[in-house]
């Protein structure tokens, strides 16, 4: 990596530039337009770590670029491996912002959970990232780099592996992991970078293997509906009515359930695809059988499947944020199935490595989100 030398170093990090900024900033250095694409692909598909490694360029051009730019992909700040094989990463970006990514193994295919923002301003009350407050948007390069970095790490842990580095996000497309945008941040509030990252990722994997999860930002959903190719869509529902959704997801006041469901009914789905409805189960809050009935009514006519997620407890979330017992979860699942909804329960993974979004970064960080301020005010008063 050739990072900045000091605070006075004004060079830009190529990995953190959007495609439009990349094209604009490099244009004065480039004699032939195809060179821009060459450099962009070297950065984001090959994963070069210094301008010197872009050997397609002449020595003179590399020298000129190095005067104004550097390359600094995310680095591993901490890694926690759980007994079930789930590996959680805390990654540090070139400006010291931190993000999380999780590698979840499975007998069939690994799943990589990646971040789209370094924090989140939406302040959902069940989310540790929301508690710690807003951060900046990630660039497409920073999003894709999470996949490349975890993939490389995972391979280097394989028994007998001497490989220290892969040159592409996935060398073997048949073994490409599922990728879910369910880490830190709301992807649809950083849609331009997410779209650029999807274009890069899907050069090596199928759109069907990528899922974008959102609280339901309606204008962005409408924009996605117009795309030629779309990833799988997951919606964080988490409550069966507006009153309770407002309570735990402030964004519901802007995009209430009726509007969101109407938007989802218009959303184009390829043959065989369904929208995944994510539903956190919180004891004594949204886990009654009549709540399951209400969800079934809400989703009537929508091509959807429901994924139940017993909440992952965390000290900053408060005592009321606990999961129902197993029998309640089972009854809830069965009720939804009786109402005709394909329903699964997400297995809890990586509890001992703080597997839920935002938990690892929380260690040793100062909270500055809306909820943190409310809590500090409450604690003091
Ligand atoms: S659940 Fe998602 S949208 Fe809500 S605060 Fe957490 S990261 Fe943000």
């Amino acid at each position: 990596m050739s990072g900045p030398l000091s605070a006075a170093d004004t060079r830009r990090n190529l990995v953190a530039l959007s495609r439009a900024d990349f094209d604009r900033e490099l244009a004065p250095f480039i004699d032939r337009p195809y060179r821009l694409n060459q450099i962009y692909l070297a950065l984001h598909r090959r994963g070069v770590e210094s301008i010197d490694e872009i050997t397609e360029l002449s020595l003179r051009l590399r020298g000129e670029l190095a005067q104004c730019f550097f390359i600094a992909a995310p680095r591993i700040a901490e890694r926690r491996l759980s007994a079930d094989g789930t590996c959680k990463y805390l990654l540090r970006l070139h400006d010291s912002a931190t993000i999380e990514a999780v590698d979840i193994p499975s007998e069939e295919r690994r799943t990589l959970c990646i971040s789209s923002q370094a924090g989140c301003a939406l302040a959902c009350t069940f989310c540790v990232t929301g508690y710690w407050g807003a951060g900046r948007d990630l660039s497409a390069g920073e999003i894709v780099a999470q996949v490349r970095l975890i993939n490389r790490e995972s391979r280097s842990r394989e028994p007998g592996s001497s490989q220290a580095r892969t040159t592409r996000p996935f060398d073997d497309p048949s073994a490409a992991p599922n990728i879910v945008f369910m880490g830190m941040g709301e992807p649809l509030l950083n849609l331009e970078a997410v779209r650029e990252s999807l274009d890069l990722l899907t050069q090596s994997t199928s759109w069907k293997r990528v899922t974008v999860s959102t609280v339901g930002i309606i204008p962005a959903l409408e924009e996605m509906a117009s795309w030629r190719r779309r990833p799988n869509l997951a919606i964080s529902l988490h409550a069966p009515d507006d009153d309770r959704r407002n309570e735990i997801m402030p964004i519901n006041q802007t995009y209430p359930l009726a509007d969101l469901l109407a938007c989802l009914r218009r959303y184009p789905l390829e043959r065989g695809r369904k929208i995944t409805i994510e539903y956190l189960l919180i004891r004594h809050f949204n886990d009654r059988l009549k709540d399951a009935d209400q969800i079934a009514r809400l989703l009537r006519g929508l091509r959807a499947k429901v994924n139940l997620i017993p909440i992952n407890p965390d000290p900053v979330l408060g005592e009321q944020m606990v999961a129902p017992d197993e029998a309640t979860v089972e009854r809830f699942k069965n009720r939804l199935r009786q109402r005709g909804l394909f329903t699964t329960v997400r297995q809890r993974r990586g509890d001992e490595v703080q597997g839920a979004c935002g938990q690892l970064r929380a260690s040793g960080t100062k909270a500055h989100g809306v909820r943190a301020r409310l809590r500090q005010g409450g604690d003091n008063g």
Side-chain angles (χ1 to χ4, degrees):
M1 175 176 69
S2 52
L5 301 173
S6 69
D9 185 349
T10 56
R11 292 179 305 153
R12 307 283 310 271
N13 180 10
L14 286 178
V15 177
L17 295 180
S18 70
R19 181 66 207 242
D21 288 345
F22 176 90
D23 287 355
R24 189 175 51 249
E25 298 218 9
L26 271 78
F29 298 87
I30 302 299
D31 48 355
R32 300 183 191 101
Y34 73 86
R35 291 251 182 254
L36 279 175
N37 223 32
Q38 242 178 356
I39 302 173
Y40 192 76
L41 293 179
L43 269 178
H44 300 307
R45 291 204 64 197
R46 214 163 78 218
V48 296
E49 295 186 346
S50 75
I51 290 172
D52 258 351
E53 288 180 49
I54 313 176
T55 48
E56 300 92 326
L57 307 180
S58 68
L59 262 179
R60 184 188 57 77
L61 181 51
R62 278 182 270 164
E64 285 173 9
L65 289 174
Q67 300 287 316
C68 299
F69 304 101
F70 63 95
I71 295 175
R75 301 271 137 186
I76 297 173
E78 191 173 343
R79 186 177 67 194
R80 293 190 189 175
L81 183 63
S82 81
D84 65 16
T86 299
C87 193
K88 182 149 193 178
Y89 295 88
L90 181 69
L91 305 177
R92 196 173 306 286
L93 309 179
H94 75 280
D95 59 355
S96 294
T98 49
I99 54 169
E100 295 180 354
V102 191
D103 183 356
I104 305 159
S106 134
E107 278 180 15
E108 291 162 18
R109 195 175 283 273
R110 288 161 52 229
T111 297
L112 306 187
C113 175
I114 58 174
S115 296
S116 55
Q117 297 179 305
C120 186
L122 295 189
C124 302
T125 60
F126 50 79
C127 171
V128 181
T129 298
Y131 180 80
W132 294 93
R136 70 169 172 85
D137 288 341
L138 301 192
S139 69
E142 289 167 331
I143 294 170
V144 172
Q146 296 170 65
V147 175
R148 192 169 47 240
L149 193 155
I150 297 176
N151 218 37
R152 187 168 76 215
E153 283 296 306
S154 162
R155 288 176 182 214
S156 69
R157 287 202 312 275
E158 281 170 10
S161 168
S162 59
Q163 170 217 309
R165 181 175 169 202
T166 58
T167 53
R168 293 173 45 183
F170 317 112
D171 286 341
D172 174 7
S174 67
N178 296 316
I179 298 168
V180 295
F181 285 72
M182 289 186 188
M184 289 167 53
E186 164 51 56
L188 270 58
L189 291 182
N190 186 18
L191 193 59
E192 188 183 325
V194 166
R195 185 174 192 179
E196 282 176 18
S197 71
L198 290 168
D199 286 341
L200 285 164
L201 291 168
T202 55
Q203 290 183 20
S204 311
T205 194
S206 155
W207 284 86
K208 287 188 204 152
R209 299 217 173 284
V210 185
T211 299
V212 170
S213 174
T214 174
V215 294
I217 309 292
I218 292 176
L221 282 168
E222 285 168 346
E223 188 179 331
M224 282 176 71
S226 70
W227 292 358
R228 197 174 62 81
R229 303 293 307 271
R230 281 173 296 279
N232 297 314
L233 182 65
I235 299 290
S236 300
L237 189 71
H238 305 329
D241 56 52
D242 279 323
D243 284 347
R244 277 180 281 176
R245 202 162 185 261
N246 287 342
E247 204 179 310
I248 59 171
M249 300 172 71
I251 193 69
N252 192 67
Q253 290 161 32
T254 310
Y255 304 116
L257 279 173
D259 295 350
L260 175 58
L261 269 297
C263 171
L264 296 179
R265 288 198 170 82
R266 294 190 299 270
Y267 192 84
L269 289 172
E270 284 82 2
R271 190 200 300 230
R273 289 227 224 166
K274 289 181 173 171
I275 295 172
T276 301
I277 302 294
E278 306 279 3
Y279 190 86
L280 270 178
L281 277 168
I282 305 169
R283 187 159 76 196
H284 299 155
F285 177 74
N286 63 359
D287 61 348
R288 298 167 305 176
L289 291 180
K290 62 181 180 184
D291 296 331
D293 294 340
Q294 177 65 11
I295 293 167
R297 277 195 293 277
L298 274 181
L299 301 184
R300 199 169 286 153
L302 190 68
R303 271 167 52 194
K305 56 186 175 183
V306 179
N307 190 23
L308 300 174
I309 312 163
I311 191 166
N312 213 345
D314 185 278
V316 307
L317 297 180
E319 289 165 9
Q320 72 282 20
M321 291 287 176
V322 290
D325 57 38
E326 276 182 32
T328 305
V329 174
E330 192 64 17
R331 273 198 299 274
F332 200 93
K333 178 187 79 179
N334 290 338
R335 184 64 153 243
L336 287 172
R337 287 183 175 177
Q338 284 160 10
R339 296 279 178 267
L341 281 163
F342 181 84
T343 306
T344 51
V345 178
R346 186 188 295 174
Q347 300 301 316
R348 278 165 60 165
R349 305 291 300 265
D351 275 6
E352 78 275 25
V353 294
Q354 299 178 295
C357 157
Q359 287 182 318
L360 183 55
R361 188 180 75 141
S363 319
T365 315
K366 196 169 182 336
H368 56 280
V370 179
R371 285 174 42 230
R373 284 198 296 281
L374 287 174
R375 173 177 281 208
Q376 281 149 13
D379 288 349
N380 294 336

